[in-house]
Amino acid sequence: MTSLQTILDDFEYMDDWEDRYRYLIEIGKALPEMPETEHTDANKVRGCASQVWLVAETEAGDPGDPVMIFRGDSDAHIVRGLVAIVLAATSGEKASAVENLDEAALLTRLGLGEHLSPQRANGLRSMVMRIKAHAAAARAAA
């Protein structure tokens, strides 16, 4: 999976929305495949126009602050790219950092905020809310 810093660096050099759009699709294609067995109703993110699936796991971290590991997928190319960006920002991070993710600032930094349709923006918010809920639950259980 592409690192968040690589994504940020690559987007910084792109002035044209079409280039960003194509790159978003590319990083979505590079997202590791999610097994079909995880494409379940329980893993589906509600509030997305496209189908989005999310799986959360934890690894040991600091006491009370486990490391979050996320896998995700979508049936839409652009949304899959957005999933890849959110996973790059959250997977492998401590739960406390995941809970504090400012997705609006991230999208602004990438120059994507103003180009997302309201449906995609709402779906992205739904996915981030679910990721943050997983992180909060993991910290509560730790």
Side-chain angles (χ1 to χ4, degrees):
M1 185 164 61
T2 309
S3 76
L4 180 60
Q5 192 56 56
T6 298
I7 293 168
L8 290 168
D9 291 345
D10 289 347
F11 266 95
E12 196 173 301
Y13 291 105
M14 295 178 208
D15 297 326
D16 183 11
W17 165 239
E18 289 297 316
D19 290 339
R20 290 174 185 215
Y21 182 80
R22 279 191 290 277
Y23 183 60
L24 195 57
I25 291 171
E26 276 180 42
I27 60 176
K29 287 180 180 176
L31 190 65
E33 288 295 318
M34 183 182 223
E36 278 299 316
T37 55
E38 292 182 341
H39 286 194
T40 65
D41 201 50
N43 292 336
K44 195 177 278 192
V45 177
R46 306 281 173 240
C48 295
S50 306
Q51 294 195 84
V52 175
W53 298 272
L54 179 73
V55 173
E57 296 173 349
T58 59
E59 291 180 353
D62 293 339
D65 200 6
V67 172
M68 302 302 301
I69 305 298
F70 295 105
R71 287 188 308 285
D73 198 5
S74 176
D75 61 350
H77 293 301
I78 292 174
V79 176
R80 190 171 160 96
L82 292 171
V83 169
I85 289 171
V86 172
L87 296 187
T90 58
S91 192
E93 299 293 328
K94 291 181 182 178
S96 58
V98 171
E99 287 181 88
N100 291 317
L101 174 69
D102 184 345
E103 68 278 4
L106 177 60
L107 288 178
T108 299
R109 190 167 170 201
L110 292 168
L112 291 175
E114 66 273 15
H115 293 289
L116 292 182
S117 68
Q119 274 187 318
R120 283 198 185 113
N122 286 339
L124 183 67
R125 271 192 294 281
S126 294
M127 184 175 64
V128 170
M129 285 173 39
R130 178 133 172 209
I131 283 173
K132 288 181 176 185
H134 280 300
R139 281 191 353 130

